[in-house]
Amino acid sequence: MYEIAVTVAVFAAAFLLSVAAAKARELYAEYTEWSTHRRRAKYRVPAYTDMEQRWAVKQNRETLWTEVNARCR
């Protein structure tokens, strides 16, 4: 009877350890995703600001050249 109880306890412990390991992997995956989003958000704002500035410069140059070419004709 004692051996059966020990066997059941060992299987229960193994099951609980496997459940804990699965939960740990799930939590790690969630943390990794959250960390990635946080890091990307940190760099997204300056990148978009830089991109908008470059776009404005490009648009201004195109407008300037269009006006210069129109006046030269």
Side-chain angles (χ1 to χ4, degrees):
M1 185 68 176
Y2 178 74
E3 292 176 1
I4 293 173
V6 169
T7 303
V8 168
V10 167
F11 281 125
F15 173 73
L16 290 176
L17 284 173
S18 67
V19 168
K23 186 64 176 176
R25 283 192 300 271
E26 179 184 331
L27 289 174
Y28 179 73
E30 287 179 16
Y31 171 77
T32 302
E33 184 177 347
W34 173 81
S35 178
T36 300
H37 287 300
R38 184 185 66 170
R39 186 180 66 251
R40 287 181 180 169
K42 178 177 147 184
Y43 294 110
R44 187 177 296 128
V45 172
Y48 281 142
T49 302
D50 183 50
M51 184 176 65
E52 288 173 1
Q53 288 175 350
R54 285 186 282 143
W55 183 81
V57 168
K58 180 181 176 192
Q59 289 299 108
N60 290 341
R61 286 180 182 157
E62 288 178 4
T63 304
L64 179 64
W65 279 113
T66 302
E67 290 179 14
V68 167
N69 287 333
R71 290 184 185 181
C72 288
R73 291 183 187 185

